[in-house]
Amino acid sequence: MKLWDKGYTTENIVERFTVGNDRVLDLKLAKFDVQGNAAHAKMLAKIGILTEQELADILKGLEEITKTIEDGTFTIEDDFEDVHSKIEFELVKKIGEAGKKIHTARSRNDQVLVDLHLYAKDEIIQIKGLIKTLFETLIDLAERHKKVLLPGYTHMQIAMPSSFGLWFGAYAESLIDDMIMMNAAFKIADQNPLGSAAGYGSSFPIDRTMTTELLGFETMKYNVVAAQMSRGKLERCISYGLASVAGTLSKFSADVCLFMSQNFGFIGFPKELTTGSSIMPHKQNPDVFELMRAKCNQIQSLPVEISYMINNLTSGYHRDFQQLKESIMNGIDHLKDILEVCNFMLQHIKVNENILDSDMYDYLYSVEEVNKLVMSGMPFREAYQKLGKDIMEGNYKPEKNLKHTHEGSMGNLCLEEIREKFSNVY
C-alpha cells in the first residue's frame, strides 16, 4: 500500500513514528490531490504516455473518488501511508492497469507540494473572505457609534478623548495591513511546483506550462530545485500572514476584556454570550475573548515554530517537512474559527454612551485647552506650562466641546477612504 513498496515490510515502530498523524491531516488534501492527478493525467496524455481511452478512464475514476470526498465517505485506512497512496489504490481498483500509470514523471515530493499549494490558495481565499466580513462589521460599528466618546490611554493612563468610531475604525484599518500579508502568502502559493518530481526534474518530455494552466496557477516555480525548496518556505510565509491577523485580533481581544470589566464598563454583551463563576453568582466572564487572545498568541508563535523546523536544512527534500503540516493546518483552522466567532460576538456588542460624563475623565480635555490657547496666539510651551500649573493648583475647568476635523480624527473618520483602501487589497 506504499508508493515506494519494494517487497519488504517496515517495522511497526518505524511505521507508527514516520507516518504519525498524516492520515488524518491528509484528508484536507484529498480533493487537491485529485485535482493534481487529473491535470497530470491530461498532460501525460498530451505527451503520449496515456492513450485517450486511458485518460478517459482515469478522469472517470477520479470523478468517482471526488464524490466520496465531497460526501465525507473517503477515508485513509491504516493500510495506507498517505492520501497519495490511497487515491492511487482506489483508482487502480476502479479502472485497472491505467491507474498504475498515473505516477509516471512524478514523485511524492512534487505531488504533496502541489497539493499544499492548492490547499494554501483555497484556505487563504477563505480567510480573506472572513477578514472582509469582520472588516465590514467593524466599519459599520464605527459609523453607528462614531459620536460616542471613550477615554484614550497611553501607558495605561488616561490620555485624550477617543471615540468608538476611532476604536472600531482602527481595528478595521489594521486588518488592511494583515490582508496585505495574506496576499503575499497567496502570491507565494500561486506558483506551480508540479513537474519538479523529487527535486531534479524528469527525463520525460513533460509540459509544465500545461499543468500550470490546468491547475489555475498564476505561474510555475521554474527551477526544479527551487520548487522543492518552496516546502517550508510556503508554510513559513503563510504563518506570517496568519500571525499578522492574529496580532490584530489578540490586541482587540485584550481591549474587549479590559473594557468589559466593571472598573471600566465601556462595553458589554448579552449574558448568553458570557460565562459564569462556580462560586461568585454575579460574574459574567469574557471567556470567548480570553480564549481568542490565547489562541491568537499561539498562532503568533507559528513563524518561530516553523522556522526552527526548517532552519539549516540543505536543499532537497527532508522528512522534517512532514511536521509542518499539522502546525500550519491547525493554525489555519484556529484563525478561521477566531474570525468567525469574533464577527458573531460583535453583532451583539453593547456600547456605553455616557462614559465621559464622569468627573474622573475631566483631565482628558487638558490638551484641548492647551490647543485653544495656542490658537489664540500663545506659544505652545507657555500654554502647556499654564495648563500644568492650573491643574496642579486646582484651577483647571475643562470645556468638553471637541473640534477634531483632520483626516482620521474622531470628527473625520475617513471610513469611506478606509473602505476603498480595503477594496484595493482584497
Side-chain angles (χ1 to χ4, degrees):
M1 303 299 183
K2 297 179 176 62
L3 297 182
W4 52 269
D5 180 58
K6 293 183 283 290
Y8 60 86
T9 302
T10 309
E11 289 288 345
N12 286 338
I13 188 170
V14 174
E15 169 86 6
R16 187 177 70 251
F17 185 77
T18 56
V19 173
N21 200 30
D22 247 25
R23 295 183 185 95
V24 174
L25 300 172
D26 274 7
L27 290 173
K28 294 178 182 293
L29 300 180
K31 71 174 182 178
F32 305 109
D33 198 72
V34 171
Q35 292 173 20
N37 273 307
H40 188 66
K42 290 174 184 177
M43 185 275 295
L44 290 178
K46 180 193 172 187
I47 66 172
I49 300 295
L50 298 175
T51 66
E52 287 303 315
Q53 184 57 54
E54 287 173 330
L55 174 62
D57 291 343
I58 287 172
L59 295 179
K60 183 174 181 296
L62 290 174
E63 186 177 341
E64 292 174 6
I65 293 170
T66 297
K67 288 177 182 174
T68 67
I69 295 169
E70 291 173 347
D71 65 24
T73 59
F74 179 85
T75 57
I76 305 172
E77 297 85 355
D78 289 349
D79 294 337
F80 299 94
E81 191 173 13
D82 51 35
V83 67
H84 321 300
S85 53
K86 175 61 188 288
I87 287 177
E88 185 172 316
F89 173 85
E90 290 294 330
L91 190 60
V92 172
K93 188 169 74 170
K94 289 177 185 297
I95 68 170
E97 291 299 304
K100 296 179 180 180
K101 294 185 176 184
I102 194 67
H103 204 61
T104 305
R106 193 172 57 171
S107 165
R108 269 199 312 177
N109 292 359
D110 64 337
Q111 193 171 355
V112 70
L113 265 176
V114 76
D115 291 1
L116 287 168
H117 278 250
L118 291 170
Y119 162 80
K121 287 178 61 178
D122 186 70
E123 292 292 340
I124 290 170
I125 288 169
Q126 291 183 50
I127 289 170
K128 287 177 62 176
L130 291 168
I131 293 172
K132 183 176 187 291
T133 300
L134 180 58
F135 171 85
E136 290 170 348
T137 296
L138 288 165
I139 289 290
D140 289 345
L141 287 168
E143 177 63 38
R144 192 184 317 161
H145 301 291
K146 63 184 178 183
K147 294 183 179 179
V148 181
L149 299 180
L150 79 161
Y153 295 85
T154 62
H155 307 274
M156 285 304 297
Q157 305 297 307
I158 293 170
M160 292 177 65
S162 182
S163 71
F164 279 100
L166 277 178
W167 186 59
F168 287 123
Y171 282 103
E173 189 166 6
S174 184
L175 287 173
I176 296 174
D177 299 334
D178 305 329
M179 187 69 83
I180 292 169
M181 294 288 285
M182 293 306 305
N183 285 342
F186 186 89
K187 196 84 172 171
I188 287 167
D190 203 14
Q191 303 175 82
N192 180 25
L194 187 60
S196 59
Y200 302 98
S202 171
S203 58
F204 289 101
I206 59 175
D207 187 342
R208 296 188 64 208
T209 298
M210 179 181 178
T211 56
T212 299
E213 292 170 354
L214 286 172
L215 291 169
F217 285 104
E218 181 185 27
T219 186
M220 75 174 76
K221 201 77 171 176
Y222 289 98
N223 185 293
V224 291
V225 176
Q228 281 301 313
M229 288 197 298
S230 73
R231 186 76 188 268
K233 177 176 280 191
L234 171 66
E235 290 91 340
R236 180 160 55 182
C237 291
I238 295 168
S239 74
Y240 281 121
L242 301 178
S244 184
V245 182
T248 297
L249 298 182
S250 174
K251 187 180 290 290
F252 181 72
S253 299
D255 276 0
V256 169
C257 292
L258 188 71
F259 292 174
M260 276 184 68
S261 73
Q262 290 90 336
N263 299 87
F264 288 77
F266 298 166
I267 59 174
F269 291 90
K271 63 181 182 302
E272 295 81 7
L273 303 185
T274 61
T275 61
S277 164
S278 63
I279 189 173
M280 294 167 283
H282 67 282
K283 293 291 290 298
Q284 285 183 236
N285 300 323
D287 283 14
V288 168
F289 288 97
E290 289 175 346
L291 287 170
M292 276 177 52
R293 182 172 57 194
K295 288 174 183 286
C296 283
N297 291 340
Q298 283 180 305
I299 292 170
Q300 288 186 88
S301 73
L302 259 183
V304 175
E305 180 181 333
I306 288 173
S307 293
Y308 276 145
M309 279 193 266
I310 66 175
N311 192 38
N312 294 335
L313 294 181
T314 59
S315 61
Y317 179 76
H318 304 273
R319 193 66 179 262
D320 309 53
F321 294 136
Q322 179 177 298
Q323 292 300 106
L324 299 173
K325 203 182 291 181
E326 187 163 11
S327 296
I328 202 67
M329 287 180 171
N330 285 345
I332 286 170
D333 288 346
H334 288 158
L335 184 63
K336 286 162 65 178
D337 285 345
I338 290 164
L339 285 164
E340 190 173 2
V341 75
C342 185
N343 186 65
F344 171 79
M345 293 295 288
L346 286 179
Q347 305 301 319
H348 304 279
I349 193 169
K350 299 175 181 178
V351 168
N352 182 351
E353 298 190 356
N354 305 300
I355 299 168
L356 298 194
D357 289 351
S358 170
D359 292 344
M360 69 181 290
Y361 296 119
D362 284 355
Y363 291 121
L364 285 171
Y365 299 90
S366 67
V367 177
E368 307 296 322
E369 296 300 318
V370 171
N371 292 349
K372 287 175 187 174
L373 292 173
V374 172
M375 291 292 288
S376 68
M378 185 180 292
F380 175 82
R381 187 52 55 204
E382 290 181 20
Y384 176 90
Q385 290 170 349
K386 180 183 185 309
L387 254 294
K389 184 178 179 182
D390 287 346
I391 289 169
M392 290 180 66
E393 293 176 353
N395 297 323
Y396 167 69
K397 298 249 189 276
E399 290 185 22
K400 298 187 178 183
N401 296 320
L402 299 173
K403 294 181 181 178
H404 290 214
T405 59
H406 68 75
E407 299 94 328
S409 66
M410 71 181 79
N412 184 6
L413 293 173
C414 294
L415 297 182
E416 288 309 309
E417 289 84 351
I418 293 172
R419 283 184 192 274
E420 182 179 357
K421 189 176 173 185
F422 183 90
S423 68
N424 289 336
V425 301
Y426 179 63

